[in-house]
Amino acid sequence: MKQQAHAWVALRALKLLDDWKKAPKLVELIFSYISEVWDGAWLPDIRLYDMSYGHIYKMDSDPDYINNGLNIEEWYQRDYNDLKTHLVGNRLCLEYVKGHSELDKPYRSHTTEGGHLPDRVIALSHNIGDMLKMSDYPLGIYAQKRKKRKKGNIELIDASGNKKYLSDRKIKDLTSSPNFSARHIALTFFIISHYICDAHMPLHCDLRDFKIPRKDRRLPKKMHTWIERLWESNFPSKDDLILTKYSKETLNKIVKEKLPENSIIEIDTPGSQYNLNKKVNTRLKGDEWSELVYTTRVSYAVARKWIPAASNWFDLHEQHFKKYGELKSRILQNEGFGDGAFVEDFIHVTNSIFHDTVESIARIWYKAWKRFID
């Protein structure tokens, strides 16, 4: 995903978090630094620059491309029912691959080229909680779940249920950790959204989109870039996503009404099957690591169904990748080539990916926050 897509997804997740009405202080914190979203959600690509390992979790079911010293009987197996059990909510990408043969095959991530995207996400999520605990005044006090003002003092409830006031606390405890500002924390929320987005991009999870040493590349080299380029053309412009304190727009208008004309994104279209559920279960069934491992497993299966492995199909599409306008027009008009799912399913897969991405970001942001306030 490119910069416009990353910024829009983070903003749409913020709106969803606000719609849930379960973490108003978290929403307020991020809203206070909403102008950071354009750069913050893009920092992993332009400053951290860890794409070769932090943005991918590439896997395969072909033993010729996996060399990890394990017999194939020891490989992972996660079928549809297993994934359905471990992933909360309406996962449209999972429903897309239901019944597809790839989910019944044992698979592994590549040991040296596979990446560690799930590790990146759980580390950042824990880091957010740590930063909140070590934040500058007044965030460290005001962000706590149970507090109220009384006669000018801030009343806190300690672990034993006893009331405490700032005037009762030791001076050394009041300024023990003035390390992280609210801006740093908000930026980290935007940064983590980048990695969660990438976990939902199917080719970040499919080893075919990589040239293994001494092995042929199995997907057209420009396919990944082309998909993301087309996605980018369906999101609000850079001018609409660079937000300042002088902006007169609302978040609702930016994410819903600033989409370009004829955008294929249908997440906020009345009656659409891709609409986000305001009453969805907001809690993960496991931790962030398992959430991303299962998510990338689904993304990998999406890649295998969406982009079939027939060589003549690749030869046909290679020609059209050089004619961006023609292929985009055929996708928008829902005209396929009759020999594969890529064009025929493009709009459905795209909306499924972005639906699941927005919900996943909101859940993981909420998880990081709950870890702090609980």
Side-chain angles (χ1 to χ4, degrees):
M1 302 183 191
K2 301 300 182 184
Q3 194 164 9
Q4 287 164 228
H6 276 289
W8 182 89
V9 166
L11 291 174
R12 189 60 185 81
L14 178 57
K15 171 178 163 44
L16 182 60
L17 203 62
D18 193 27
D19 290 340
W20 287 348
K21 301 186 184 305
K22 289 192 173 183
K25 293 185 183 298
L26 169 58
V27 172
E28 183 179 7
L29 166 64
I30 300 176
F31 256 108
S32 298
Y33 298 93
I34 198 171
S35 61
E36 304 286 354
V37 70
W38 177 256
D39 289 328
W42 196 237
L43 282 173
D45 273 7
I46 59 171
R47 185 61 59 88
L48 304 182
Y49 208 70
D50 57 344
M51 286 83 82
S52 64
Y53 58 93
H55 302 224
I56 59 173
Y57 198 62
K58 291 183 179 291
M59 53 197 79
D60 209 320
S61 59
D62 187 342
D64 288 341
Y65 289 87
I66 299 291
N67 181 18
N68 54 20
L70 294 175
N71 294 325
I72 197 166
E73 292 79 10
E74 300 175 272
W75 288 19
Y76 303 125
Q77 284 193 275
R78 296 289 184 188
D79 61 15
Y80 169 84
N81 292 327
D82 198 8
L83 292 166
K84 186 78 171 177
T85 299
H86 287 90
L87 291 169
V88 69
N90 182 23
R91 306 290 178 125
L92 299 183
C93 288
L94 179 57
E95 296 308 311
Y96 174 71
V97 296
K98 183 178 181 179
H100 188 61
S101 60
E102 197 66 32
L103 285 181
D104 296 324
K105 298 177 183 178
Y107 72 100
R108 292 291 299 193
S109 59
H110 196 280
T111 51
T112 58
E113 310 292 348
H116 56 240
L117 195 160
D119 302 301
R120 202 75 170 95
V121 170
I122 193 171
L124 282 167
S125 183
H126 276 274
N127 192 43
I128 286 172
D130 295 342
M131 292 168 74
L132 284 163
K133 293 174 184 177
M134 296 187 290
S135 59
D136 280 341
Y137 177 86
L139 181 63
I141 291 175
Y142 285 108
Q144 294 189 36
K145 183 170 60 173
R146 303 181 64 188
K147 65 103 178 67
K148 63 180 180 180
R149 286 186 177 275
K150 184 176 181 180
K151 296 181 180 178
N153 286 324
I154 299 174
E155 182 183 292
L156 302 173
I157 309 297
D158 65 17
S160 301
N162 300 315
K163 294 180 180 179
K164 282 196 167 186
Y165 299 92
L166 289 183
S167 54
D168 295 325
R169 298 177 66 184
K170 296 177 182 178
I171 301 300
K172 67 184 183 70
D173 294 334
L174 298 177
T175 57
S176 58
S177 305
N179 297 322
F180 296 101
S181 69
R183 176 178 177 269
H184 292 147
I185 298 169
L187 268 173
T188 307
F189 277 108
F190 294 140
I191 289 170
I192 198 174
S193 73
H194 184 107
Y195 296 96
I196 300 168
C197 281
D198 284 354
H200 288 81
M201 201 298 174
L203 297 187
H204 278 260
C205 307
D206 190 345
L207 193 62
R208 294 179 303 166
D209 189 41
F210 200 91
K211 189 180 185 306
I212 301 298
R214 297 181 297 279
K215 295 285 186 180
D216 293 331
R217 186 186 188 95
R218 290 169 287 166
L219 290 181
K221 187 174 182 180
K222 296 181 180 180
M223 174 177 277
H224 191 146
T225 301
W226 186 91
I227 292 171
E228 293 184 333
R229 181 182 171 191
L230 178 53
W231 282 349
E232 194 78 343
S233 69
N234 288 278
F235 287 102
S237 68
K238 177 179 179 180
D239 289 342
D240 289 324
L241 293 169
I242 296 181
L243 310 176
T244 72
K245 64 180 181 180
Y246 302 107
S247 176
K248 296 180 181 180
E249 307 291 1
T250 65
L251 180 58
N252 279 333
K253 186 171 183 179
I254 292 167
V255 298
K256 295 170 64 174
E257 299 179 25
K258 292 294 184 177
L259 293 172
E261 187 177 359
N262 296 323
S263 171
I264 65 174
I265 303 301
E266 300 177 21
I267 285 175
D268 293 303
T269 301
S272 171
Q273 63 177 310
Y274 311 111
N275 284 342
L276 295 158
N277 189 349
K278 297 180 182 179
K279 298 181 180 180
V280 72
N281 189 337
T282 57
R283 296 290 190 112
L284 303 180
K285 288 191 175 179
D287 61 17
E288 298 90 332
W289 184 85
S290 62
E291 169 77 7
L292 267 294
V293 167
Y294 298 135
T295 296
T296 53
R297 166 62 167 156
V298 174
S299 292
Y300 158 74
V302 169
R304 294 303 173 105
K305 177 179 179 179
W306 189 29
I307 306 169
S311 59
N312 62 336
W313 187 90
F314 294 135
D315 292 340
L316 175 63
H317 283 291
E318 283 265 37
Q319 301 170 17
H320 288 85
F321 290 142
K322 300 173 183 177
K323 301 177 181 178
Y324 177 82
E326 177 187 339
L327 188 50
K328 178 180 179 180
S329 175
R330 296 188 74 162
I331 287 174
L332 291 175
Q333 296 174 34
N334 202 23
E335 296 179 3
F337 296 106
D339 65 341
F342 181 62
V343 174
E344 289 91 333
D345 291 352
F346 197 96
I347 293 176
H348 174 61
V349 171
T350 294
N351 279 283
S352 297
I353 287 170
F354 283 100
H355 168 280
D356 291 2
T357 300
V358 170
E359 285 196 355
S360 184
I361 292 170
R363 285 193 187 97
I364 290 175
W365 281 358
Y366 185 60
K367 174 81 171 183
W369 181 257
K370 289 290 288 182
R371 181 181 289 111
F372 166 63
I373 65 173
D374 286 347

